[in-house]
Amino acid sequence: MTTEQQADGYVWSALQDAPVREIFPGIRLRPLWSGGDAKAYVLEMDANTCWQGIDVHDPGPEEVFVVSGTFNDGDRDYPAGTFIHAPAGSSHVPQTTTGCTLFLFYPEG
């Protein structure tokens, strides 16, 4: 991951410079930042893709912002501009018919 940092601790990274890891066919994870236990990522899901298995939020919560497209958690659709808080211990099956880009934040790892 290419991350820049100023002396005052201000950190930034560019999405195009973040390494890409395909975690399932058509689903890619790009790390943007980590600090202590907290982590930030961008998740890109191609159209008609589905997480393989159940995504369980452990040890802490997951914060999701739908940047583009429509995300589905297995129960309902969330269009671009939606914020989702998934508490620790919750689970879902991420999927999309349209394709989507998500910003993910894990405050506790």
Side-chain angles (χ1 to χ4, degrees), residues 30-69:
R30 294 175 179 257
L32 296 177
W33 172 82
S34 65
D37 290 336
K39 295 174 177 51
Y41 299 93
V42 166
L43 185 75
E44 301 164 323
M45 299 179 71
D46 293 343
N48 300 308
T49 55
C50 184
W51 198 266
Q52 295 177 3
I54 298 172
D55 182 25
V56 179
H57 305 296
D58 182 45
E62 176 184 60
E63 312 289 344
V64 178
F65 182 77
V66 182
V67 176
S68 65

Side-chain angles (χ1 to χ4, degrees), residues 1-4 12-21 29-32 42 44 101:
M1 168 173 55
T2 302
T3 301
E4 308 261 348
W12 68 95
S13 59
L15 182 61
Q16 69 269 12
D17 295 333
V20 178
R21 181 171 61 109
L29 188 66
R30 294 175 179 257
L32 296 177
V42 166
E44 301 164 323
T101 299

